[in-house]
Every structure is written in structure tokens, then in C-alpha cells.
Amino acid sequence: MRIVTFVKYVPDAAGDRTFESDNTVDRSVDGLLSELDEYAVEEALKITGGDKSAEVIALTVGGDDAKDAVKKALQMGATKGVHVNDDALDASDAIGTARVLAAALKQVAEDEGPIDLVLTGFASTDAGMSVVPTLVAELSGLPALTQVSQVTVSGTTVNARRDGDTSSQFLEAALPALVSVTDQTNEPRYPSFKGILGAKRKKIAEYDLSDLGVAASEVGRAGATTQVVEVAERPARTAGEIITDEGDGGTKLVEWLAAKKLV
Ligand SMILES: Cc1cc2nc3c(=O)[nH]c(=O)nc-3n(C[C@H](O)[C@H](O)[C@H](O)COP(=O)(O)OP(=O)(O)OC[C@H]3O[C@@H](n4cnc5c(N)ncnc54)[C@H](O)[C@@H]3O)c2cc1C
């Protein structure tokens, strides 16, 4: 069993997040592995658990610091890493990023052998568009089971449960397939001391665009099909309104809610 997990490096939400003058995300700030991708790594480790011949390959597309996302996955227990890095990737949009991820999957299959399963987060914690997994599946000719909260692999089949507000869908696909998982899927492990030390010896393959046969014109600003035209800070919170109960608190509360069209 060979699983590739996508691991995106994102700005740390605990710090200040800002935009460049052209409305692109300022990526010069401290970053980390997108928390939602930890669920994909954990699921890969659960599926392959106990199988010494299995491989979990953590793949990132990003600048120099993005390697930290791969390192975290290796510390958790992934067996190998792949880092795609190229100056031309700067300001890539979702389609450009998906093109590169799909090309990287092809390269990994050539270098390491056939891939059975691709596991991803359902959204990044920065751009959060939730489209990259589906785009990659389309470009790679893989069935996509998206936003699932339970995954089971049995033989050459993957089953998954996708929970909606009022019902759950039970999905099945033949491997190889791509599955994006939610934060309900599992409880990601913390890297152990042994895991942290062991990760230093694990291999991280480096690719640039020419290694993957992707033209610079297809990615980055040059290949972007979308552009953010404006960004605005969320308005500051206004002071709350205190409703004093003088025997008519309930009525006042309902009137307030009705005025805001909340009931
Ligand atoms: C080198 C580079 C430079 C960029 N520069 C800019 C920029 O200047 N301005 C800007 O606004 N945006 C930039 N981007 C961000 C880019 O536009 C988004 O990463 C892209 O649109 C994906 O959208 P998303 O994060 O909303 O993905 P979603 O669809 O929300 O992501 C879902 C899942 O797809 C996987 N995934 C997504 N992206 C990656 C990745 N890069 N590597 C591995 N797995 C991934 C993860 O598993 C993630 O959980 C850059 C990206 C790269 C790689």
C-alpha cells in the first residue's frame, strides 16, 4: 500500500496575517503544517498501521519554508517526503497549485511505484477554497471522495462516509482514489520524541517545475485564472447591548432578536 498525503504549509493563524500590495497572501510570516492536513496524515498512518512494507509519502508544493510541513508529517510517522519548490510558483492560484500537485503525483508514481490512495485535508486553513482535492482528482483521472469523516480501505476498495446536515452519504470507489478528510475523521497524534529524531533520517525528494514537466506559464501569477481584486478587514466588534430585566426581560429579548431578524 502506497499512500500520498498532501501537506500544505500555511501562515500561523496565531500570528498576524496580512496581504501583499497585490492582495496576495503575505507568506513571509511564520508558518506551519495546515492543521486540517494533520487529519489526512493521521488517517494514512491508521490505514497503513502495522504494515511494514507500506509507504506514506507527504507531499507539499511551496517555498523553502514549506519543507517544515513535510518534516512535521515525517515526525508523525510518514515514511518519505516530497517538496516541490520553484520561484515561478509564487502567487499560484488553486488551478496552478492543482496542476503541480497532479504532476508531482505522476512523478512520485514513476520514482516510487504506483500510488493506491491520495489523502488530503478538505480545506487549507489559509485560502480555504476546498477545491484543490477535486481539481487534482480530475487532472489525475482519479475518483474523488471528498469531505469525508470516516474512511475504510479493504482490498482494492475504499469506503467513506460523508456527513451532511440532515443525512450521511456512504461512498465507495475502486483504488487508486483520492479522499479528502474532515476534522471529524480522527484525532491526529503528536509526534513522539522517537518520531522527531527518526524524521531527521527520512528522505525528502526535491522537485522543481522542469523535473515535473510543468511550464512556468501554467502556474504562478502568469498562469493564474483568478485574481483577488479587494480585501477588507473584518469590522471591529461593536460593544454588546445589555438588556436589563425589569420584569419584561423576556419580551425585550424577543423584540431585540426580532429587530435583528434572528427569530
Ligand atoms: C508556491 C506558492 C505560492 C503561492 N503564493 C500565493 C500568493 O502569493 N498569494 C496567494 O493568495 N496565494 C498564493 N498561493 C496559494 C494558492 O493560491 C493556494 O494554495 C491555492 O489556491 C490552493 O487553494 P487553497 O489553499 O484554498 O486549497 P484548498 O482547496 O482549500 O485545499 C484543500 C487541500 O488541498 C491540499 N493542498 C492545497 N494546497 C496545497 C499545497 N500547496 N501543497 C500541498 N497540498 C495542498 C491540502 O491537503 C489542503 O488541505 C501560493 C501557493 C503556492 C504553492
Side-chain angles (χ1 to χ4, degrees):
M1 164 80 53
R2 181 172 294 105
I3 301 181
V4 174
T5 60
F6 287 178
V7 288
K8 187 178 181 189
Y9 183 77
V10 297
D12 187 349
D16 283 339
R17 289 183 291 176
T18 52
F19 294 91
E20 305 278 9
S21 56
D22 62 355
N23 295 332
T24 57
V25 176
D26 175 6
R27 290 177 185 275
S28 61
V29 296
D30 287 344
L32 75 183
L33 166 61
S34 178
E35 259 179 55
L36 292 169
D37 287 349
E38 290 187 17
Y39 297 88
V41 177
E42 178 63 36
E43 202 56 30
L45 298 174
K46 271 175 64 187
I47 291 169
T48 56
D51 179 355
K52 294 256 185 273
S53 65
E55 282 187 349
V56 174
I57 302 174
L59 165 62
T60 197
V61 173
D64 294 348
D65 294 344
K67 196 176 280 167
D68 286 352
V70 175
K71 285 182 184 162
K72 174 80 184 280
L74 295 177
Q75 291 171 354
M76 288 173 74
T79 50
K80 287 178 186 163
V82 175
H83 180 196
V84 183
N85 188 3
D86 197 300
D87 288 348
L89 285 167
D90 188 35
S92 296
D93 68 359
I95 292 178
T97 305
R99 274 189 192 121
V100 179
L101 285 163
L105 285 179
K106 218 168 136 210
Q107 190 62 46
V108 169
E110 269 177 36
D111 292 351
E112 307 289 342
I115 297 162
D116 299 293
L117 185 64
V118 180
L119 280 168
T120 81
F122 81 99
S124 68
T125 56
D126 59 344
M129 292 169 70
S130 282
V131 291
V132 167
T134 321
L135 290 170
V136 173
E138 175 67 19
L139 292 169
S140 307
L142 295 173
L145 311 186
T146 57
Q147 308 194 9
V148 307
S149 47
Q150 200 179 62
V151 187
T152 333
V153 173
S154 156
T156 55
T157 305
V158 56
N159 289 84
R161 196 185 75 221
R162 190 180 212 261
D163 294 325
D165 285 343
T166 55
S167 63
S168 293
Q169 297 166 347
F170 294 86
L171 311 170
E172 183 175 300
L175 298 178
L178 180 147
V179 177
S180 74
V181 300
T182 71
D183 56 354
Q184 301 301 306
T185 319
N186 54 49
E187 196 60 51
R189 68 196 67 189
Y190 288 103
S192 63
F193 186 59
K194 196 173 153 212
I196 293 169
L197 289 182
K200 293 185 201 295
R201 293 191 296 274
K202 293 179 182 170
K203 181 182 132 199
I204 302 179
E206 308 262 357
Y207 299 125
D208 62 18
L209 288 180
S210 64
D211 295 323
L212 303 182
V214 177
S217 58
E218 292 181 83
V219 299
R221 242 176 227 97
T225 55
T226 55
Q227 188 192 356
V228 177
V229 290
E230 193 180 344
V231 291
E233 266 187 57
R234 189 183 292 177
R237 281 185 183 221
T238 52
E241 195 175 322
I242 297 172
I243 295 176
T244 312
D245 184 13
E246 291 160 338
D248 57 353
T251 311
K252 280 186 183 161
L253 203 52
V254 172
E255 281 171 359
W256 186 88
L257 289 169
K260 303 263 182 234
K261 295 197 168 35
L262 294 171
V263 289

